[in-house]
Amino acid sequence: MSSLEGKRLAVLGVGKIGEAILRGLFTAGKVKKDQVSGSVASESSRDRAAKKLGIKVGLSNQEAAQGCDILLLSVKPQVMPSLLTDLKSLVSDETLIISVVASMTTEKIQSALGQNCPVLRVMPNTPCLVGEGMSVICAGTYANQGHIELAQELFGSCGKTAVLKESLMDAVTGLSGSGPAYIYLVIESLAEAGVKVGIPRDVSTLLSAQTVLGASSMVLESKAHPALLKDAVTTPAGCTVDGLLELEEGKLRVTLIKAVVKAAERAAQLSP
Ligand SMILES: NC(=O)c1ccc[n+]([C@@H]2O[C@H](COP(=O)([O-])OP(=O)(O)OC[C@H]3O[C@@H](n4cnc5c(N)ncnc54)[C@H](OP(=O)(O)O)[C@@H]3O)[C@@H](O)[C@H]2O)c1
């Protein structure tokens, strides 16, 4: 039996990532729509989210969180202080708090709530929307193995999960949290390149995106080092090596490494 069965879930801040997680959960059948309530700040977002997701969405965090077993916090970091103030009188040691908010530590959340609540910090990414998300989970002081397993079930329904120590969460934010944006840039650039060499744009985009998907699947399924898989494409004196040399000259490797480092550094500064 699912440990989510019969649990009431409130998503506080049903924006891009909140919606992606909910869609993944609904598609996987892990929770029913009538188990979920949500909150947003504006009437336009309320109407949009309620219509798109078919759940009850309101403008009051307290109303949405009332009587819920799990509170998923998915607002921007700067909104967290006021959200936690809204929730303080509602939560108990039995309420599981799951925050997907970048930068804010479990310790800060615990102390703002002033309770011994189990708090988990999770860094998902937007491909949760299509069941291919990557979510990294870490636990606060009062969260136990059962809470981690519940989060693995919840986020596992919209992709893969990993459990890491909290000191790595900003690094995770810079890699897999922001990562889809880097890869969209790669896909866009490869598609543009296809157009440059004469391939129709729609076909070129398909070639580019499916190549990224296929290469990712090869890494995940074969568990081989990416360098070995690259060698298998690179025939001596063939064309791939010429393409690789251009990428090395353009410093693709070091540029990607620097992008993750910068984003991770910035992630550490977001929390108010
Ligand atoms: N996007 C990602 O890829 C991603 C990945 C991992 C983690 N995250 C984290 O997820 C959080 C949300 O990011 P997002 O990209 O989903 O942002 P977003 O699309 O702007 O969503 C934020 C949501 O919070 C709502 N909100 C604002 N003030 C509120 C309040 N006082 N009470 C309740 N709801 C309120 C907003 O409503 P209105 O629309 O009415 O303003 C909006 O629906 C951030 O902390 C981010 O670090 C994002």
Side-chain angles (χ1 to χ4, degrees):
M1 191 178 89
S2 163
S3 46
L4 292 161
E5 187 126 346
K7 294 253 187 330
R8 288 210 50 83
L9 167 71
V11 178
L12 307 167
V14 191
K16 287 184 280 299
I17 199 71
E19 184 189 327
I21 296 164
L22 280 175
R23 278 193 184 276
L25 283 172
F26 293 149
T27 306
K30 285 286 173 190
V31 290
K32 298 195 186 78
K33 296 195 173 187
D34 61 9
Q35 283 174 261
V36 181
S37 51
S39 66
V40 291
S42 62
E43 289 183 1
S44 58
S45 292
R46 176 195 63 191
D47 297 345
R48 176 195 49 79
K51 193 167 167 218
K52 273 172 97 177
L53 293 163
I55 59 165
K56 196 167 165 260
V57 183
L59 300 179
S60 160
N61 291 315
Q62 295 201 333
E63 225 173 275
Q66 189 74 50
C68 285
D69 309 283
I70 306 167
L71 304 183
L72 183 78
L73 317 185
S74 52
V75 295
K76 296 280 189 198
Q78 61 272 22
V79 178
M80 279 293 271
S82 69
L83 174 61
L84 294 170
T85 305
D86 282 352
L87 299 178
K88 201 171 172 171
S89 60
L90 279 178
V91 298
S92 74
D93 298 1
E94 302 295 311
T95 319
L96 175 60
I97 312 289
I98 303 180
S99 166
V100 300
V101 177
S103 198
M104 186 169 272
T105 62
T106 55
E107 200 184 329
K108 267 196 180 167
I109 296 169
Q110 283 161 197
S111 83
L113 290 172
Q115 310 263 353
N116 296 350
C117 294
V119 177
L120 297 174
R121 187 172 159 197
V122 180
M123 181 46 59
N125 61 16
T126 49
C128 282
L129 193 61
V130 291
E132 288 295 349
M134 181 67 234
S135 302
V136 178
I137 302 163
C138 72
T141 314
Y142 308 107
N144 59 32
Q145 189 54 30
H147 298 123
I148 293 176
E149 280 166 18
L150 190 141
Q152 284 175 310
E153 185 181 347
L154 204 147
F155 288 91
S157 69
C158 38
K160 297 197 182 331
T161 63
V163 180
L164 283 176
K165 54 186 179 183
E166 186 156 14
S167 58
L168 289 171
M169 289 306 269
D170 294 327
V172 166
T173 306
L175 177 53
S176 54
S178 304
Y182 313 152
I183 301 304
Y184 297 137
L185 202 69
V186 169
I187 293 173
E188 188 193 351
S189 308
L190 290 175
E192 200 66 30
V195 171
K196 170 78 179 153
V197 291
I199 302 168
R201 185 170 292 279
D202 55 340
V203 183
S204 188
T205 304
L206 171 68
L207 266 56
S208 169
Q210 177 62 22
T211 300
V212 170
L213 179 66
S216 295
S217 301
M218 288 287 282
V219 173
L220 291 173
E221 283 173 31
S222 72
K223 297 191 172 37
H225 191 290
L228 282 179
L229 296 169
K230 180 194 69 181
D231 287 355
V233 191
T234 316
T235 321
C239 51
T240 307
V241 71
D242 282 0
L244 287 170
L245 281 175
E246 284 295 322
L247 294 177
E248 294 293 5
E249 203 169 282
K251 298 191 166 56
L252 179 73
R253 243 179 238 267
V254 77
T255 305
L256 285 173
I257 293 169
K258 280 170 137 178
V260 173
V261 171
K262 275 278 177 202
E265 282 169 6
R266 178 71 186 124
Q269 302 162 352
L270 291 176
S271 178

